Amino acid sequence: GNIEYEKSVLVKEDVKSGFNITCGGDLEVGGTIEDSEINVSGSILCRYGFTGQGKGSIRCNGDVNIGYMKNQSIRCRNNVIIAKEALNCTIYAKKSIKVLGRSLSIAGGTFIARDSITCNVVGNSSGIQTTLEVGLDYTLIEELEKCELQQNEITENKRKLLETLKHLESKLRFQRKLPPKEESFYKKVRTAITKFERQNKALEDRKKLIEKKMKDFSKSFIKIERSAMPGTLIKIGERNLIVHEEIKGPKTIRMVNFEIHVL
């Protein structure tokens, strides 16, 4: 069955498809993780691979160390290190991503890190589309989405209250005075509307602060040790660089004067 445990977990062999793990400490897997949902408060060490049909996901607050990866997704609040290759994967890291396979490192998928991405080879000879993006903190995106959901909920609740308020005010114009219970309800509705407006203003201010933080990519970089193949898309901030001819490493790619430079 599934595992839910408040401390660390050791799995000596594989985590098979459909079996999920949630733990409050670290997770160590001696074999392979298949199509499973893994939620870990600490760090993850998987000695073999994380592979399957694209139904597997890892959410981790610490570091993620994996042998190889295929088709799956990771959201990590620290660093992701993959010893061999990552094929057709989606990886978000709050800090850095390193993929260390020599002949093949990254091919296909999307890799996003706030600080840096380092790999030996990105892409392949067939021109597979692969996206590398730095300078973007995915946790801020999640927080921004959360703020927008809360604003949508507040807007809907406020709309309903405004309809109620309109009805009560219309009644008040004809009667000049509401019955005590309706008068009390009328005051509560007005108070609730004011409260929603304050909450919406606070969320709007928070969104502006998040968007400001999301634009800080001055120290972010991508390091290509051996080769970036055609079909690779490099993204930093609002700038994109499509690789049309092979970039031979070692090269460092970063933003200089609001333009992407290969140095």
Side-chain angles (χ1 to χ4, degrees), residues 20-175:
N20 305 321
I21 297 176
T22 299
C23 68
D26 298 332
L27 171 65
E28 182 178 341
V29 178
T32 299
I33 300 173
E34 297 180 358
D35 286 317
S36 304
E37 292 184 9
I38 310 294
N39 293 280
V40 178
S41 296
S43 295
I44 294 177
L45 171 61
C46 176
R47 296 188 179 278
Y48 284 84
F50 180 31
T51 184
Q53 302 301 313
K55 298 176 182 178
S57 67
I58 286 175
R59 283 183 173 268
C60 175
N61 289 341
D63 294 327
V64 175
N65 283 271
I66 290 178
Y68 66 91
M69 188 171 165
K70 185 176 181 181
N71 298 330
Q72 311 288 46
S73 67
I74 292 175
R75 288 178 179 252
C76 170
R77 289 181 173 267
N78 231 37
N79 305 294
V80 176
I81 300 173
I82 299 174
K84 296 179 181 178
E85 70 273 3
L87 309 179
N88 297 314
C89 297
T90 300
I91 299 178
Y92 295 86
K94 185 176 175 70
K95 293 185 177 178
S96 69
I97 298 171
K98 290 184 180 180
V99 187
L100 305 175
R102 290 196 60 78
S103 59
L104 175 63
S105 300
I106 295 173
T110 301
F111 298 74
I112 298 175
R114 185 191 65 187
D115 297 343
S116 65
I117 297 174
T118 301
C119 65
N120 282 307
V121 180
V122 54
N124 59 20
S125 57
S126 67
I128 189 170
Q129 184 174 332
T130 310
T131 300
L132 305 183
E133 181 172 0
V134 290
L136 184 60
D137 184 343
Y138 85 92
T139 63
L140 294 178
I141 297 174
E142 290 181 342
E143 191 174 348
L144 192 64
E145 289 172 349
K146 187 177 178 181
C147 286
E148 288 173 349
L149 284 173
Q150 288 176 326
Q151 279 190 307
N152 290 339
E153 185 178 345
I154 286 169
T155 300
E156 178 60 20
N157 289 335
K158 184 183 171 184
R159 184 190 65 78
K160 292 176 181 177
L161 286 176
L162 286 170
E163 288 179 359
T164 302
L165 184 68
K166 185 178 179 181
H167 172 73
L168 290 170
E169 287 178 339
S170 175
K171 197 171 183 180
L172 182 61
R173 281 196 297 271
F174 284 103
Q175 297 181 1

